Amino acid sequence: MALLEVDDLTVQFYTEDGVVTAADELSFTVESGEKFGVVGESGAGKSVTALSLMRLIEEPGRITDGEIRFKGEDILSMSESEVRSIRGNEMAMIFQDAQTALNPVYTVGEQISEAVRHHLDYSEADARDRAVQLMDDVGIPEPDARYDDYPHQFSGGMQQRVVIATALSCDPDLLIADEPTTALDVTIEAKILDLIENLADEYDTAVQLITHDLGVIAEVCDRVMVMYAGKPVEKAPVDDLYYDPKHPYTVGLMSSIPRVGEQRDRLQTIPGTMPDLVELPSGCSFHPRCPFAEDACTRKEPPLVDHETGQAADGDTDQHVAACLEYTGDLVEGLDYQVDVDGADPNTGSATERGRDHGA
Amino acid sequence: MSTQRGRIRITGFDPTRVDERDPLSEWVEDGETEPESRWRRAWRRFRRNRSAMLGVAVVALLTLLAVFARPVELFGVTVQPIALTPFEPDTILYLTPEYANIGPYSPPSGTALLGTDGTGRDILSRLLYGGRYSLSIGFIVVFITAVIGIVYGSVSGYYGGLVDEVMMRVLDVIFAFPGLVLALVVVATLGGGYWQLVLAFTVFGWAGYARLIRGEILQVKQNEYVMAARALGARDRKVIFRHIVPNALAPVVVQASLSIGTVVIGVAALGFLGVGLDPTTAEWGTMLNAARSTLIQGPGATLPWWATVFPGVAIFLFVMAMNLIGDGINDALDAQDTTVTQGGGA
Amino acid sequence: MPEAEPILRAENLTKYFDDSEGFVDSLLGRSQWVKAVDGVDFTLYEGETLGVVGESGCGKTTLGRALLQLLEPTEGSVYYNRADGAGGRERLDLTEASSSRLRSLRTDLQYIFQDPFSSLNPRLTVGDIIGEPLDIHSLATGAERTDRIYELLELVGLNPSHAQRYPHEFSGGQRQRIGIARALAVDPEVIVCDEPVSALDVSVQAQILNLLEDLQADLGLSYIFIAHDLSVVEHISDRIGVMYLGELAEVGTTDEVFSPPYHPYTEALLSAIPEPDPRWQGDRILLSGNVPSPLDPPSGCRFHTRCPRVIQPAGFDLDQPVWRSLMDFKQRLLGEETIGAVTAVEEDVDVEDASRAELEDLVRAEFDLPDRFGGEAERVFADAVDALHAGDIQAAETTVSESFVSPCEASNPDLYAETETHNLACLLYDDEHPDPTGSVGGRNDAAADD
């Protein structure tokens, strides 16, 4: 049994402009101890997915369909107090903006020890010891003295460390990190990512890392899900996704990032912008921006299928699945892009010359 | 395994194909919205707010009743001939032989629908007519104070530094006294009367707006479009009036709509204390004051509740309605960007 | 590429901000100065893109604004070589120009802002936003104005029919295009782009980068491109300036600066970029410590408090990471008052009562020091621990601050010319300070504590 299983999760927001389907029949699993990445642009529904896992969706949003099973128990059918005992305890979250995630009127030590006292019934003194130990673990110098400091006395990177310490305080089984390094400088980002990786291994915590940055995913994660307009478009182990992307959106994303050390004059971009979630294009929602789109794409919504067999995704975590009609045999022209890897060793050699000549 | 960067290269994802081909489907990126200005959008939201629209209806009704209560004459010409009220507000009913049976504090009856006051005047007529005082004074005071406050606060906020420091200390002095006490002092010095009351409420009443808009301007000033205007070479005057003040106005509008009610209560309070308008005036608070003595009576006496309840209800209705409107405006202006916007940006 | 006469040249450009709280403080002379930009020199040549990169708080935005006199520089000059219309060029000092002169010069020098949401006035239509510079400088009126607005919208890839819409109806990328159209309306020569893509999604970011490059090619623009994202700067720039704490650490062509990196700070920045390649195995250089406050920047080379390659004093021959850790030990001692500041947290051990040996272990654990590193340094370290054990922090401070002194603390390196186009401020590369360890080009990971 996987640690977290999400089945057909649908989250809708009822706004003035219409119903926004922020997550549309989303399914994925996170194994225990695994690092699972969710990547996509803003408006893809990444954060909404994270919030619904902890049942933190607020009005006007609502989880309209689906099932979320955490250690086999259905989160959506729990009582509010049962969910509360899971939140911050077995499942914890790190937010993008550490500054607003910390309460300015409490000392950082109090905030770290609060969850321990609340969930694990530690005494005041034990909670303090635990908090100091955690602060040391996340690399805050002289934790004993800084226990009584207020958040504003910490730099941005240090604040994010405090948030991580808070999240880890109850030794959670799943850590959801929503853009944990987006607000930080690269030098700090490198350290925070390092920290998350090491602590996750040390505490044997599964991590769901949500980000827009393909570099961060490559660095930390084992498996990735790419989201577009509220739907997953590709799911694969991280190596497969980077060396052999199968969905045109993933391909477009990867070709539009500037990479250090390459000599391209122009970036190949994805034209246009992400559609308004109120009114999605018919068929494949990516078709207005996809260079490989054909008439079929406007009529049929592509299912998430194994790119080799064309069979529907069956939950096998090593499977490489993509939601493109290419893999159901509906495209006439097929996809026409190429992934080259410099100095590819035999292990990765299969990645070159891929993407060509498949489909019909 | 490699330490070389930029090893993965993707070719063939050609965006120009999308631009060059005919659109595959009817779907267009941004077909839906009609251009709509901020204020129009706010108005649309406001109209959808039921309680605010109820407030508007009540205020409109009270205003219409006040206007049509008695004929209006301007420079001897009757511009509004309709008279809704059965009597002149100052008519003492029992002096007319026809209504000799109606005395002071007569309970509501077919003749005097809401009863009569201590002098034997028809309360309904006085209430309708009295709306002219209560309503107009609220709007006039708020208009004048808002204008003064906006100018004062804008200057203070935009120029900052020493100017700001001095101007704000002046405000602190004003804020050190309760507004009603200051108004009381002015009225006590100048005597009662309509314009004296206006003055009493305006002379210090602008301070709240000044502080509000100053804070707002300090914030709007931080926006990059202000820096952008300067980078384009715009002059100070243009920067203030085209870019800063219009974007700082929203909370002032809300504040103004809410304080109309406050002023009306203030006028009523002064009236109730007996220092506002002439005691015979049909202003709502003054009417309450006139009937004040009936509230405390010896045992066995009957309470002429109509003399106090109806003016009180009138004040309550109007203030309540103005607050609903104020909240509605607040929501309409505030909720600018709550809708889920398009992707493509952070 | 660089030619004789630069189009824009900054000399000793300096901007300090007064950090005192309110005017009572400033009246009493209790001013504190934030040294946001501190004596920066650089040149911008016609048609090129100069990237300026650095961490947040390094002063790069202040630099951009001080260049265009949107913030009045505290000191220094900015020379602009203006086309005089007759084929020649006249040199103007922007810091000396009168405010009306400056206003008219705004048609040549423009700015693109970072935040596509706050840089457009929400109450104006897109047409009015783009038309504003035309009105201010009386460049076009009536039908001509409308045509020009349509032309600009098309130039930046927007539909001219959008002129009647308001900014909130557009996505982030589209708004950034509007901001670009506004800057282009006056037909400028130099544009300062202040993090123009950092608020945008990757695919949109690429569109804007391509647009900026196309416009540069078509209109002959010169850019100063400010960003914190090295991969973006590397992609778009011809030359790059690396800023640290208000000073330029290095300036050179993109290749000179990045392949291979010379300056230790550039090297660290570059190594920290997450590579979108799961099998990439490059070494991360994790800098110790935080960016120091610009209120009171470190003495000497401002990077010495974090530099992994900070130079060892004569007579020391330690492994570089050990030396870095000893420097961290010293900084922590000087900065903090308690013994807990320099010891690792260990359950069941109270540092106040710890034995001499336990204390030494805790200090070594906190700074990842090996059991023995030998020589003079070992002796000084032992003395310091002795003092700490005796409870005399003062003495420990004196001991380390007398012996652990890097040349980098003593002298602030000038921008030294490595090649004709490549300048860098680092003692490692300055011939007058021969590197005692001979570790030029050697790369060492620093202790990852901060």
Side-chain angles (χ1 to χ4, degrees):
Chain A
M1 180 183 64
L3 177 69
L4 177 78
E5 293 166 284
V6 177
D7 267 335
D8 290 334
L9 176 71
T10 305
V11 183
Q12 296 185 315
F13 286 78
Y14 298 86
T15 70
E16 275 182 27
D17 300 330
V19 179
V20 173
T21 308
D24 193 0
E25 300 194 3
L26 194 64
S27 305
F28 62 91
T29 55
V30 179
E31 303 288 332
S32 47
E34 181 187 37
K35 299 185 197 74
F36 180 69
V38 179
V39 68
E41 297 176 279
S42 47
K46 298 169 297 186
S47 295
V48 166
T49 311
L51 291 174
S52 32
L53 296 184
M54 298 189 92
R55 244 175 67 185
L56 286 172
I57 298 287
E58 287 181 358
E59 284 294 309
R62 213 170 296 160
I63 298 174
T64 49
D65 196 13
E67 225 174 280
I68 301 172
R69 283 186 304 279
F70 182 65
K71 296 184 185 169
E73 290 184 54
D74 187 3
I75 297 226
L76 298 183
S77 59
M78 283 181 185
S79 72
E80 188 55 34
S81 70
E82 283 172 311
V83 178
R84 260 203 303 273
S85 73
I86 288 184
R87 269 185 219 145
N89 185 8
E90 295 173 59
M91 207 194 270
M93 195 154 177
I94 305 173
F95 296 92
Q96 169 176 354
D97 190 353
Q99 206 171 350
T100 55
L102 294 172
N103 188 334
V105 303
Y106 293 105
T107 67
V108 296
E110 282 169 336
Q111 299 188 47
I112 296 173
S113 57
E114 186 192 352
V116 191
R117 270 180 286 148
H118 178 74
H119 288 298
L120 307 181
D121 277 332
Y122 273 42
S123 72
E124 197 80 19
D126 288 348
R128 187 186 169 104
D129 286 348
R130 169 91 176 135
V132 170
Q133 185 63 46
L134 279 162
M135 286 167 76
D136 193 51
D137 284 354
V138 297
I140 296 172
E142 39 170 345
D144 217 14
R146 305 217 68 175
Y147 182 92
D148 295 314
D149 281 355
Y150 287 90
H152 71 195
Q153 292 165 288
F154 283 67
S155 68
M158 281 295 153
Q159 286 177 344
Q160 193 60 285
R161 282 169 197 257
V162 173
V163 172
I164 293 173
T166 313
L168 291 176
S169 59
C170 293
D171 201 359
D173 297 306
L174 176 64
L175 181 67
I176 302 168
D178 188 358
E179 304 264 10
T181 57
T182 306
L184 304 173
D185 280 316
V186 277
T187 54
I188 314 286
E189 172 178 61
K191 289 198 275 190
I192 297 288
L193 290 179
D194 228 42
L195 180 71
I196 292 179
E197 246 189 303
N198 292 338
L199 291 178
D201 289 342
E202 190 180 315
Y203 287 64
D204 196 28
T205 302
V207 177
Q208 180 176 338
L209 180 71
I210 297 165
T211 177
H212 67 278
D213 189 333
L214 286 166
V216 170
I217 297 273
E219 166 112 13
V220 177
C221 297
D222 308 319
R223 278 194 312 126
V224 202
M225 171 167 76
V226 182
M227 286 185 74
Y228 183 77
K231 298 189 191 81
V233 294
E234 186 163 2
K235 253 189 295 186
V238 74
D239 276 12
D240 293 350
L241 188 93
Y242 282 76
Y243 287 95
D244 191 14
K246 287 299 176 196
H247 193 280
Y249 175 65
T250 316
V251 175
L253 265 190
M254 302 227 287
S255 69
S256 53
I257 36 174
R259 296 170 193 251
V260 172
E262 62 164 5
Q263 303 292 334
R264 269 193 301 178
D265 276 348
R266 277 184 78 79
L267 298 164
Q268 284 177 331
T269 69
I270 307 175
T273 50
M274 172 108 53
D276 193 337
L277 293 174
V278 175
E279 205 180 338
L280 287 177
S282 59
C284 172
S285 3
F286 187 56
H287 84 254
R289 304 175 70 190
C290 179
F292 313 115
E294 297 175 11
D295 280 338
C297 301
T298 67
R299 290 192 299 270
K300 186 171 165 192
E301 191 176 330
L304 204 57
V305 296
D306 188 299
H307 74 93
E308 275 166 356
T309 62
Q311 301 299 313
D314 59 9
D316 174 10
T317 50
D318 283 338
Q319 210 178 16
H320 187 167
V321 293
C324 179
L325 292 181
E326 167 76 0
Y327 309 110
T328 54
D330 289 303
L331 289 195
V332 183
E333 304 265 332
L335 307 180
D336 177 23
Y337 60 86
Q338 201 172 339
V339 182
D340 293 308
V341 181
D342 255 16
D345 54 68
N347 285 341
T348 59
S350 63
T352 50
E353 295 296 321
R354 271 301 180 97
R356 222 157 224 224
D357 306 330
H358 35 178
Chain B
M1 300 296 158
S2 168
T3 57
Q4 186 198 339
R5 285 185 181 268
R7 290 195 313 144
I8 304 177
R9 267 200 305 275
I10 293 180
T11 45
F13 189 90
D14 186 2
T16 50
R17 281 207 227 169
V18 176
D19 302 329
E20 281 160 10
R21 74 179 174 215
D22 293 329
L24 290 169
S25 62
E26 304 281 296
W27 190 87
V28 278
E29 213 161 83
D30 42 15
E32 50 357 322
T33 51
E34 277 291 295
E36 192 180 35
S37 86
R38 209 164 93 108
W39 296 107
R40 268 237 293 287
R41 190 179 157 84
W43 171 232
R44 193 166 51 81
R45 283 165 184 279
F46 184 80
R47 257 187 337 202
R48 248 188 259 165
N49 184 334
R50 291 213 189 120
S51 54
M53 287 314 284
L54 178 72
V56 170
V58 170
V59 171
L61 182 72
L62 287 176
T63 311
L64 285 177
L65 288 177
V67 169
F68 293 107
R70 302 302 305 166
V72 179
E73 280 190 15
L74 275 182
F75 308 111
V77 184
T78 309
V79 290
Q80 193 285 103
I82 301 168
L84 289 177
T85 58
F87 307 102
E88 288 277 347
D90 296 333
T91 311
I92 298 170
L93 293 189
Y94 57 79
L95 295 183
T96 324
E98 200 183 330
Y99 303 118
N101 58 333
I102 293 185
Y105 293 130
S106 294
S109 63
T111 315
L113 286 175
L114 301 182
T116 61
D117 65 4
T119 326
R121 293 171 295 201
D122 177 34
I123 290 182
L124 176 65
S125 306
R126 288 175 66 76
L127 277 185
L128 295 186
Y129 185 79
R132 288 188 183 176
Y133 293 101
S134 298
L135 268 52
S136 65
I137 209 167
F139 285 106
I140 290 174
V141 165
V142 163
F143 179 77
I144 298 176
T145 49
V147 169
I148 298 176
I150 287 171
V151 173
Y152 190 94
S154 305
V155 170
S156 178
Y158 184 75
Y159 288 100
L162 192 63
V163 178
D164 183 40
E165 199 72 32
V166 171
M167 290 176 87
M168 282 302 114
R169 293 299 79 79
V170 171
L171 278 194
D172 288 346
V173 172
I174 295 177
F175 276 118
F177 301 96
L180 201 59
V181 172
L182 290 174
L184 204 61
V185 170
V186 174
V187 179
T189 319
L190 299 177
Y194 186 85
W195 291 108
Q196 283 86 340
L197 271 182
V198 170
L199 188 68
F201 282 99
T202 49
V203 74
F204 296 118
W206 52 268
Y209 297 101
R211 185 134 90 175
L212 185 69
I213 197 150
R214 170 187 172 266
E216 209 45 42
I217 279 182
L218 288 182
Q219 213 177 352
V220 173
K221 236 168 62 165
Q222 304 297 323
N223 275 314
E224 283 185 337
Y225 57 79
V226 175
M227 179 75 82
R230 287 179 44 217
L232 293 171
R235 288 167 194 280
D236 270 12
R237 189 163 25 97
K238 194 158 182 184
V239 174
I240 300 181
F241 291 110
R242 190 175 165 94
H243 295 286
I244 299 183
V245 171
N247 284 297
L249 272 186
V252 176
V253 172
V254 174
Q255 174 69 29
S257 58
L258 289 172
S259 36
I260 289 179
T262 318
V263 171
V264 170
I265 289 196
V267 170
L270 289 188
F272 186 75
L273 294 175
V275 293
L277 297 163
D278 185 271
T280 59
T281 321
E283 193 271 324
W284 297 339
T286 317
M287 288 167 67
L288 263 182
N289 176 50
R292 187 177 51 179
S293 56
T294 65
L295 293 174
I296 310 150
Q297 294 206 339
T302 51
L303 181 72
W305 52 269
W306 54 91
T308 47
V309 166
F310 291 122
V313 165
I315 294 173
F316 167 78
L317 264 185
F318 179 68
V319 172
M320 185 74 198
M322 277 321 298
N323 283 343
L324 289 179
I325 294 174
D327 286 345
I329 294 179
N330 192 20
D331 291 346
L333 292 176
D334 209 39
Q336 272 303 305
D337 294 311
T338 51
T339 47
V340 176
T341 46
Q342 285 196 41
Chain C
M1 273 292 96
E3 50 186 68
E5 195 70 347
I7 190 162
L8 203 65
R9 186 160 62 85
E11 242 173 47
N12 189 30
L13 193 63
T14 302
K15 175 71 191 174
Y16 291 173
F17 291 103
D18 187 353
D19 192 43
S20 52
E21 314 241 320
F23 100 119
V24 179
D25 265 7
S26 52
L27 214 63
L28 297 174
R30 275 191 301 216
S31 297
Q32 278 189 300
W33 296 100
V34 176
K35 299 177 173 108
V37 175
D38 206 0
V40 166
D41 301 299
F42 71 83
T43 48
L44 174 72
Y45 296 96
E46 199 175 349
E48 77 165 351
T49 302
L50 174 69
V52 177
V53 69
E55 292 172 279
S56 54
C58 74
K60 50 195 192 306
T61 292
T62 309
L63 174 69
R65 293 187 176 175
L67 269 180
L68 296 198
Q69 311 299 309
L70 292 172
L71 293 170
E72 196 185 329
T74 312
E75 229 182 282
S77 309
V78 179
Y79 297 104
Y80 169 54
N81 264 327
R82 181 172 173 274
D84 60 9
R89 289 193 167 268
E90 56 169 327
R91 198 170 80 155
L92 300 164
D93 185 350
L94 296 181
T95 53
E96 304 282 317
S98 70
S99 63
S100 61
R101 180 90 174 111
L102 208 52
R103 257 202 298 279
S104 68
L105 281 172
R106 301 256 177 244
T107 55
D108 288 349
L109 308 165
Q110 270 302 315
Y111 202 94
I112 295 172
F113 291 83
Q114 167 177 10
D115 183 352
F117 292 84
S118 91
S119 64
L120 305 177
N121 186 340
R123 296 184 25 80
L124 300 181
T125 62
V126 168
D128 282 338
I129 288 171
I130 299 174
E132 183 168 20
L134 302 176
D135 302 340
I136 290 172
H137 299 286
S138 315
L139 295 175
T141 50
E144 197 191 338
R145 180 177 180 273
T146 316
D147 287 347
R148 176 81 177 131
I149 290 170
Y150 289 168
E151 187 192 333
L152 286 162
L153 280 169
E154 243 167 281
L155 189 64
V156 297
L158 290 172
N159 190 335
S161 67
H162 291 176
Q164 293 310 311
R165 298 193 174 190
Y166 288 85
H168 71 83
E169 295 168 65
F170 294 89
S171 67
Q174 290 170 319
R175 288 180 187 217
Q176 202 54 288
R177 288 175 194 266
I178 296 167
I180 294 172
R182 174 175 60 187
L184 290 176
V186 293
D187 203 0
E189 300 211 15
V190 177
I191 301 183
V192 174
C193 311
D194 184 4
E195 305 251 18
V197 297
S198 60
L200 305 175
D201 276 323
V202 273
S203 69
V204 181
Q205 167 180 312
Q207 293 171 6
I208 299 293
L209 289 175
N210 283 345
L211 172 67
L212 286 173
E213 286 186 312
D214 292 346
L215 291 171
Q216 180 168 45
D218 294 346
L219 306 173
L221 300 168
S222 314
Y223 292 141
I224 290 176
F225 192 95
I226 298 168
H228 68 273
D229 186 338
L230 246 75
S231 44
V232 168
V233 171
E234 197 231 53
H235 174 80
I236 199 165
S237 305
D238 302 311
R239 288 195 306 131
I240 290 180
V242 181
M243 267 188 97
Y244 186 75
L245 269 186
E247 291 183 340
L248 272 179
E250 185 171 12
V251 192
T253 64
T254 305
D255 275 351
E256 286 168 338
V257 172
F258 282 164
S259 42
Y262 280 75
H263 196 285
Y265 179 59
T266 313
E267 188 183 358
L269 272 185
L270 192 64
S271 82
I273 307 173
E275 174 69 18
D277 177 351
R279 301 193 184 188
W280 182 73
Q281 290 288 307
D283 278 333
R284 288 294 185 77
I285 298 173
L286 301 176
L287 293 178
S288 60
N290 287 312
V291 184
S293 158
L295 272 173
D296 184 20
S299 65
C301 171
R302 292 189 175 178
F303 187 51
H304 86 257
T305 56
R306 302 168 77 200
C307 180
R309 287 161 67 192
V310 60
I311 299 174
Q312 303 182 20
F316 278 54
D317 187 20
L318 299 166
D319 280 348
Q320 188 62 23
V322 173
W323 171 240
R324 177 66 258 170
S325 300
L326 288 174
M327 289 294 283
D328 290 342
F329 172 58
K330 176 180 103 169
Q331 279 151 20
R332 195 80 69 71
L333 259 186
L334 295 181
E336 306 291 343
E337 305 302 318
T338 63
I339 193 164
V342 291
T343 49
V345 175
E346 192 92 32
E347 277 181 76
D348 314 322
V349 181
D350 185 358
V351 288
E352 305 290 340
D353 319 323
S355 69
R356 166 71 175 72
E358 278 177 328
L359 184 69
E360 180 165 343
D361 285 346
L362 288 179
V363 175
R364 284 186 198 269
E366 176 71 5
F367 294 97
D368 284 331
L369 287 166
D371 288 344
R372 273 201 64 77
F373 36 88
E376 168 78 1
E378 181 82 50
R379 195 189 54 74
V380 175
F381 178 71
D383 284 353
V385 176
D386 281 341
L388 284 176
H389 186 242
D392 191 352
I393 297 182
Q394 279 289 324
E397 283 179 12
T398 323
T399 312
V400 293
S401 54
E402 274 171 6
S403 306
F404 295 160
V405 181
S406 165
C408 299
E409 290 172 75
S411 57
N412 190 8
D414 292 327
L415 269 181
Y416 145 85
E418 178 78 15
T419 70
E420 202 172 314
T421 51
H422 185 196
N423 296 306
L424 74 169
C426 180
L427 291 182
L428 283 171
Y429 301 97
D430 194 340
D431 296 335
E432 286 169 28
H433 284 266
D435 177 8
T437 63
S439 72
V440 176
R443 299 188 195 163
N444 297 300
D445 287 9
D449 78 298
D450 53 327

